[in-house]
Amino acid sequence: MFMFQPDRPNPLPHLAPIKESLQEALNSADETDRPGLRRALAILDRFLSSDGPATEDWARRTLAVAGIDPKRKEMKAIQALRSARPDLGLKEATTLVRLLKSDS
Protein backbone atom coordinates (compact mmCIF):
# COMPACT_ATOMS: atom_id res chain seq x y z
CA MET A 1 0.00 0.00 0.00
CA PHE A 2 1.15 3.55 -0.71
CA MET A 3 2.38 5.44 2.31
CA PHE A 4 1.94 9.22 2.37
CA GLN A 5 5.17 11.04 3.01
CA PRO A 6 4.91 14.77 3.75
CA ASP A 7 8.20 15.58 2.01
CA ARG A 8 6.91 14.10 -1.27
CA PRO A 9 4.22 15.63 -3.47
CA ASN A 10 0.71 14.27 -3.07
CA PRO A 11 0.17 11.29 -5.40
CA LEU A 12 -3.46 12.01 -6.21
CA PRO A 13 -2.93 14.79 -8.77
CA HIS A 14 -0.53 12.48 -10.59
CA LEU A 15 -3.37 10.09 -11.38
CA ALA A 16 -4.43 12.24 -14.35
CA PRO A 17 -1.93 10.59 -16.74
CA ILE A 18 -3.22 7.20 -15.62
CA LYS A 19 -6.74 8.32 -16.43
CA GLU A 20 -5.62 9.39 -19.90
CA SER A 21 -3.98 6.00 -20.46
CA LEU A 22 -7.10 4.16 -19.33
CA GLN A 23 -9.24 6.29 -21.63
CA GLU A 24 -6.95 5.47 -24.57
CA ALA A 25 -7.16 1.79 -23.67
CA LEU A 26 -10.95 2.02 -23.51
CA ASN A 27 -11.10 3.68 -26.91
CA SER A 28 -9.30 0.75 -28.51
CA ALA A 29 -10.59 -2.07 -26.27
CA ASP A 30 -12.76 -4.94 -27.36
CA GLU A 31 -16.20 -5.43 -25.81
CA THR A 32 -14.97 -7.87 -23.14
CA ASP A 33 -12.48 -5.35 -21.71
CA ARG A 34 -14.69 -2.26 -21.85
CA PRO A 35 -16.71 -2.81 -18.62
CA GLY A 36 -13.57 -3.15 -16.49
CA LEU A 37 -11.94 -0.11 -18.05
CA ARG A 38 -15.10 1.95 -17.57
CA ARG A 39 -15.17 0.93 -13.90
CA ALA A 40 -11.51 1.86 -13.46
CA LEU A 41 -12.17 5.27 -15.02
CA ALA A 42 -15.14 5.83 -12.71
CA ILE A 43 -13.01 5.05 -9.66
CA LEU A 44 -10.30 7.47 -10.80
CA ASP A 45 -12.89 10.15 -11.48
CA ARG A 46 -14.00 9.95 -7.84
CA PHE A 47 -10.45 10.56 -6.68
CA LEU A 48 -9.69 13.30 -9.18
CA SER A 49 -12.92 15.22 -8.76
CA SER A 50 -12.31 18.52 -7.05
CA ASP A 51 -15.39 20.43 -8.14
CA GLY A 52 -17.71 19.02 -5.47
CA PRO A 53 -17.57 19.49 -1.73
CA ALA A 54 -15.20 17.37 0.31
CA THR A 55 -17.14 14.56 1.94
CA GLU A 56 -16.48 11.88 4.51
CA ASP A 57 -16.47 9.29 1.74
CA TRP A 58 -13.91 11.26 -0.27
CA ALA A 59 -11.77 11.80 2.85
CA ARG A 60 -11.93 8.10 3.77
CA ARG A 61 -10.82 7.05 0.27
CA THR A 62 -8.09 9.68 0.12
CA LEU A 63 -6.63 8.62 3.47
CA ALA A 64 -6.87 4.95 2.52
CA VAL A 65 -4.83 5.60 -0.63
CA ALA A 66 -2.32 7.54 1.45
CA GLY A 67 -2.18 4.77 4.07
CA ILE A 68 -3.03 7.12 6.94
CA ASP A 69 -5.17 6.10 9.91
CA PRO A 70 -6.95 9.28 11.03
CA LYS A 71 -7.40 7.88 14.54
CA ARG A 72 -3.68 7.44 15.04
CA LYS A 73 -2.32 10.34 12.99
CA GLU A 74 -4.81 13.20 13.00
CA MET A 75 -2.36 15.89 11.88
CA LYS A 76 -0.99 13.80 9.01
CA ALA A 77 -4.56 13.03 7.96
CA ILE A 78 -5.44 16.73 7.89
CA GLN A 79 -2.28 17.48 5.90
CA ALA A 80 -3.04 14.72 3.42
CA LEU A 81 -6.59 15.95 2.82
CA ARG A 82 -5.44 19.52 2.29
CA SER A 83 -2.68 18.34 0.01
CA ALA A 84 -5.14 16.28 -2.04
CA ARG A 85 -7.51 19.22 -2.33
CA PRO A 86 -5.64 22.54 -1.91
CA ASP A 87 -8.88 24.55 -1.72
CA LEU A 88 -9.90 22.64 1.43
CA GLY A 89 -9.71 24.86 4.49
CA LEU A 90 -8.06 23.84 7.73
CA LYS A 91 -11.36 23.90 9.61
CA GLU A 92 -13.11 21.71 7.01
CA ALA A 93 -10.23 19.22 6.89
CA THR A 94 -10.12 19.02 10.68
CA THR A 95 -13.87 18.45 10.83
CA LEU A 96 -13.65 15.65 8.24
CA VAL A 97 -10.82 13.91 10.07
CA ARG A 98 -12.62 14.14 13.40
CA LEU A 99 -15.79 12.71 11.82
CA LEU A 100 -13.76 9.79 10.51
CA LYS A 101 -12.20 9.29 13.94
CA SER A 102 -15.61 9.09 15.57
CA ASP A 103 -17.11 6.71 12.99
CA SER A 104 -15.81 3.53 14.57
Side-chain angles (χ1 to χ4, degrees):
M1 172 178 269
F2 175 81
M3 295 301 290
F4 178 78
Q5 297 177 358
D7 58 333
R8 291 191 176 177
N10 179 10
L12 296 179
H14 302 299
L15 294 177
I18 295 170
K19 181 180 177 182
E20 291 171 14
S21 295
L22 284 172
Q23 185 62 56
E24 289 173 14
L26 176 61
N27 293 342
S28 61
D30 61 33
E31 289 303 315
T32 58
D33 291 334
R34 286 180 183 263
L37 289 167
R38 283 189 190 110
R39 177 73 176 128
L41 281 166
I43 291 167
L44 276 175
D45 280 340
R46 286 195 329 236
F47 280 101
L48 294 172
S49 174
S50 62
D51 54 345
T55 63
E56 285 182 65
D57 187 44
W58 169 82
R60 190 175 291 106
R61 288 190 317 263
T62 300
L63 295 176
V65 167
I68 298 172
D69 179 355
K71 290 181 181 180
R72 292 181 38 221
K73 298 190 176 186
E74 181 176 334
M75 293 305 294
K76 283 193 182 269
I78 292 167
Q79 288 176 328
L81 294 181
R82 295 191 72 207
S83 179
R85 186 169 288 171
D87 63 331
L88 186 66
L90 178 60
K91 184 176 180 179
E92 188 178 6
T94 302
T95 300
L96 283 169
V97 168
R98 289 185 178 160
L99 285 170
L100 295 178
K101 286 174 63 174
S102 68
D103 277 353
S104 299

